[in-house]
Every structure is written in structure tokens, then in C-alpha cells.
Amino acid sequence: MTEKEKRAQGLLYDANYNPEISQELLACKDICFQYNQILPSHEEERCALMKQLLGKTGKAFCIQPPFWCDFGYNIEIGENFYANHGCIILDGAKVTFGDNVFVAPNCGFHTAGHPLDVEQRNQGLEYAWPITVGDNVWIGANVTVLPGVTIGSGSVIGAGSVVNRDIPSGVIAAGNPCRVVREITEEDRDRYRRGMYRK
């Protein structure tokens, strides 16, 4: 079994010293660096390069630089995906975003984890477990999503949260560790009326 096959199965694999993985990682970092140097006004150029990098995109999306990922081909984004500045996706395993996902600044999605055993860790062994984000999810600023997590459709993750467990659909969840605060209700439709702050 190759190291990439081990990785795909969620097993410990050589993430640091395998030549094939190291070459792919370096190639991805070069593309990310290139992307982060493109002028913000050159939207078509940015979009084309991101389509080259990612495994799947919708027709309409925006990823604000700086953006970093490990491989790119393990990332799938749906329609109307938006990631604000400072998004980091460590995509040793699949990271899948549904439609209409909004990611605030400085968020991280980390499929990579390390063994607790120091000898295995010092050998460069890691594991990678997939992350899945449903449709219509809003992820607040400075959120960290850890390996193996699924966030259900329509949910909101509060700023600064560390998401280390699955979050169901249609809820507000926040904290470290992230926990469900309450369900999103019909009353939330009127919480922020348009124009309510105009003088």
C-alpha cells in the first residue's frame, strides 16, 4: 500500500519524508504563493488559477488572498462559496463545502492530525480525516475545524470556535470546544431588519 493510499483510508502515513507527497505539497505551495501575488482587481486571473488548483469549484466563488492549502485537489467548493482573508485548508483528506458557504477571516480547516505516541510522531507519521461543510453555512472569524468533522447545512459557527465534533443542521454553535447553543428559528428572520440602523 502506498503512502497516499494509507492517507486516503485514514491510516497513519508518512507525511514528511515520502517523495511523491513532498513534491505534490511543494507544487501546491508554489501555486498558492502565485495566487496570493495576483492583484485583487485581476479577478478572472485569480479565478482561473483557483480552478486549476482545487478539485472542484462552482461557477461563482471568491477566495480572498492570502489563501493556503496543502494539495488543492482534495478541496471541493459549491456555488457561491466565499472565503475571506487568511483561510487555510490542510487537505490531506477531502474537504467539501456545499453551496452558499460563507467563511469569515482567518479560519482553518485541518484534516491533518498527529499520533499521541512521540516515536510515531517523530517518524513524520500523520493521519488525515475528511471535513464536510453543508449548504448555507456561515463560519465566523478565527474558527478552527479539526479532522473528521461534519457541519450540517444551515448552521452558524460562532467566531473563535474550535470545532472538534460534528455539528447538526440548523443550529448556532460556538465555543472551545464548539457546542450547540440553540436552533435557528423563524424569529431569526426578523432579527436584523434591513435599514434598521439607518438614521
Side-chain angles (χ1 to χ4, degrees):
M1 187 182 300
T2 68
E3 297 305 307
K4 288 180 68 173
E5 288 171 340
K6 293 176 188 175
R7 185 182 69 184
Q9 294 186 29
L11 304 173
L12 287 177
Y13 73 99
D14 182 356
N16 293 279
Y17 306 113
N18 178 263
E20 181 182 15
I21 291 174
S22 296
Q23 289 172 7
E24 288 186 348
L25 185 65
L26 192 59
C28 179
K29 299 301 183 187
D30 281 350
I31 295 174
C32 288
F33 180 86
Q34 182 181 350
Y35 180 81
N36 292 331
Q37 309 310 308
I38 298 173
L39 289 172
S41 58
H42 294 190
E43 294 179 1
E44 289 186 7
E45 184 181 353
R46 287 169 53 193
C47 184
L49 190 58
M50 194 54 58
K51 285 184 175 181
Q52 174 189 331
L53 178 64
L54 302 186
K56 180 182 178 184
T57 72
K59 293 181 180 178
F61 65 90
C62 179
I63 300 175
Q64 298 287 4
F67 168 80
W68 294 98
C69 63
D70 278 348
F71 301 98
Y73 56 72
N74 278 329
I75 301 171
E76 297 184 358
I77 61 175
E79 289 295 340
N80 302 314
F81 176 83
Y82 180 85
N84 214 321
H85 303 286
C87 183
I88 296 175
I89 304 177
L90 306 184
D91 60 314
K94 282 277 188 185
V95 181
T96 307
F97 298 91
D99 296 335
N100 306 306
V101 173
F102 181 88
V103 179
N106 299 316
C107 289
F109 301 85
H110 309 304
T111 69
H114 304 275
L116 298 177
D117 176 68
V118 67
E119 291 183 7
Q120 292 175 320
R121 195 165 61 244
N122 288 345
Q123 291 172 26
L125 299 179
E126 293 183 11
Y127 60 85
W129 296 343
I131 292 172
T132 302
V133 178
D135 297 332
N136 305 305
V137 172
W138 171 22
I139 297 176
N142 298 299
V143 166
T144 300
V145 181
L146 298 181
V149 165
T150 294
I151 299 173
S153 294
S155 286
V156 175
I157 307 298
S161 296
V162 177
V163 189
N164 66 350
R165 68 191 73 191
D166 291 352
I167 302 297
S169 298
V171 300
I172 299 170
N176 180 6
C178 188
R179 299 181 186 275
V180 174
V181 176
R182 66 174 176 87
E183 293 185 355
I184 297 173
T185 67
E186 288 297 318
E187 294 179 358
D188 290 310
R189 290 180 181 270
D190 297 325
R191 188 175 179 87
Y192 306 102
R193 294 181 183 274
R194 291 185 181 181
M196 68 181 293
Y197 296 113
R198 292 178 183 171
K199 293 182 179 179

